Amino acid sequence: MFGSGRAILSLRESYRSDLRSVKQITDFNFVRFHALFDDEVGIYGEDQQGRPVYNFSYIDQIYDGLLANGVRPFVEISFMPNKLAAASLIHPFWYKPNVSPPKDWGRWDDLVAAFTGHLVERYGIDEVTQWYFEVWNEPNLDFWAGVPKQDTYWELYDHTALAIKKVNSRLKVGGPATAQAAWVDALIRHCAEKNIPLDYVSTHVYANDTAHDVFDTEENIPRDRMVCRAVDKVHNQIKASSMPKLPLIWSEFNASYKNEPDVTDATYMGPWLADTIRQCDGLVDLMSYWTLSDVFEEQGVVKTPFYGGYGLIAEDGIPKPAFNAFKLLHQLGDERVRLDSDFALLTRREDGTLVLAVWNYGAPEREGSPRTISLRLKNTNVSHARISRVDSDHGDPHPAYEKMGSPNYPTQKQIQGLRQAAQLPAPEEQQIKNGEFKLTLPANGLAVIELK
């Protein structure tokens, strides 16, 4: 699952091209975005007598486009249509979403029910039961203006969940979609006490969130440990709750919630992603990387290809090292083999091939140094290694970009050169003698090795 900005962007060809590219390397199943109910999508209006008018034209184009490319919607229900809002409470994002509660809860219920019913009518109940409906986005931050925040969000959640279930009880609804791994245990208690539907829980964390915000401590939790510490916290809250089997969906995560070019645009992401997979495996049902593409406008129109955007693909369809890290990590097998290491992950494919990921993690604020890894294989007749890499010399367009003078607006020829520079070279072939071989990784290098 991937996140991807806001709903209306999915109508752009650049968005759909990036979606297809990420689908090709990961075969991901779901995509999530904000602002499905914003005025630019046109779902809600009122006639001259003030009566609600619904328009599903852009909704249909948005979801038709996803499904045509083999991706299902993870339906985040947000934000408030201006004519339905109790007040003009505008979030500072560039596209100005209204984060107000509704002026009339009955009209909100009717909108949610009409929207959900339309989806079932258009796509069929057997299809839509495979989707997820999520109530709002990060209501514990400034994306929700209800006062007090938690109590008014419970009201929003209750109304929305009941309206969805009224259409069909088989539909899946959840929340609280909070930032900083908050409110999950409280939402479970609320729904249990009030008998409100809750099919899964969702929340978010970023690797540069603070321990104070996530754990209410003053620890200094490093960037490579924060995400899975938070996942473990919520996993344990669910297990200790009255609904211990609820699925956990992490509907946003990344190494940074800021625009940090030396993090999200850099080779740093390869080791960080691999180690996050190693730590989080088994604790969560779905994780949604934020985001698949830099077709993204929360801070405004993109001004330069590499600005620290969250996406795997930069402006002009230029793959970043993170794109290539996902590409390599999706070569891993689907069975994990126990391995006592904090910089390696061993898997087995269905055909018995062992696939090993190894990395040389270095914090972005440090320069880092190369690392030589010795591999010794026991009780196997493996004799050959096929090594694919992501590092500053493999799958990173930055050296070529810098050689061009780092233009804000590359020419078509330069764009083609950057796309070519981002391509992964052919894997290296290496013989394994006596079950042993060595591999040197540069700082923030990632290698995925097929062992045959």
Side-chain angles (χ1 to χ4, degrees), residues 373-391:
I373 299 169
S374 298
L375 299 175
R376 187 167 67 238
L377 304 167
K378 296 181 178 180
N379 305 318
T380 178
N381 58 0
V382 168
S383 61
H384 182 77
R386 183 180 173 91
I387 305 163
S388 300
R389 302 174 183 259
V390 177
D391 53 43

Side-chain angles (χ1 to χ4, degrees), residues 262-400:
D262 61 344
V263 176
T264 47
D265 288 347
T267 57
Y268 171 83
M269 294 305 297
W272 184 85
L273 279 166
D275 202 32
T276 298
I277 292 168
R278 179 188 68 84
Q279 296 174 62
C280 290
D281 176 42
L283 299 175
V284 61
D285 295 271
L286 263 175
M287 289 189 79
S288 181
Y289 183 87
W290 187 261
T291 59
L292 68 88
S293 169
D294 279 355
V295 179
F296 188 88
E297 294 174 345
E298 289 179 359
Q299 294 85 33
V301 178
V302 173
K303 300 177 180 66
T304 183
F306 300 109
Y307 66 97
Y310 308 122
L312 300 186
I313 303 176
E315 176 81 343
D316 297 315
I318 303 166
K320 301 183 191 179
F323 176 91
N324 286 319
F326 266 100
K327 184 175 184 178
L328 290 194
L329 291 167
H330 273 78
Q331 296 176 15
L332 291 169
D334 49 17
E335 179 189 356
R336 185 170 178 177
V337 180
R338 185 177 178 84
L339 191 66
D340 185 16
S341 173
D342 59 3
F343 58 86
L345 182 62
L346 181 61
T347 65
R348 183 184 288 110
R349 293 180 183 158
E350 285 187 8
D351 65 2
T353 301
L354 294 173
V355 188
L356 175 71
V358 291
W359 53 89
N360 181 11
Y361 177 85
E365 61 272 14
R366 299 176 192 157
E367 187 170 331
S369 57
R371 181 180 201 171
T372 297
I373 299 169
S374 298
L375 299 175
R376 187 167 67 238
L377 304 167
K378 296 181 178 180
N379 305 318
T380 178
N381 58 0
V382 168
S383 61
H384 182 77
R386 183 180 173 91
I387 305 163
S388 300
R389 302 174 183 259
V390 177
D391 53 43
S392 57
D393 295 322
H394 302 81
D396 182 6
H398 285 83

Side-chain angles (χ1 to χ4, degrees), residues 45-53 83 103 107:
E46 293 178 357
D47 64 17
Q48 292 182 341
Q49 287 74 44
R51 294 172 299 204
V53 177
K83 288 189 176 180
K103 65 184 180 184
R107 291 194 177 195

Side-chain angles (χ1 to χ4, degrees), residues 76-108:
E76 177 199 305
I77 296 179
S78 69
F79 291 102
M80 195 59 61
N82 283 313
K83 288 189 176 180
L84 186 52
S88 180
L89 299 169
I90 305 301
H91 188 276
F93 275 171
W94 181 77
Y95 62 89
K96 297 179 174 57
N98 194 329
V99 295
S100 168
K103 65 184 180 184
D104 183 320
W105 284 108
R107 291 194 177 195
W108 174 258

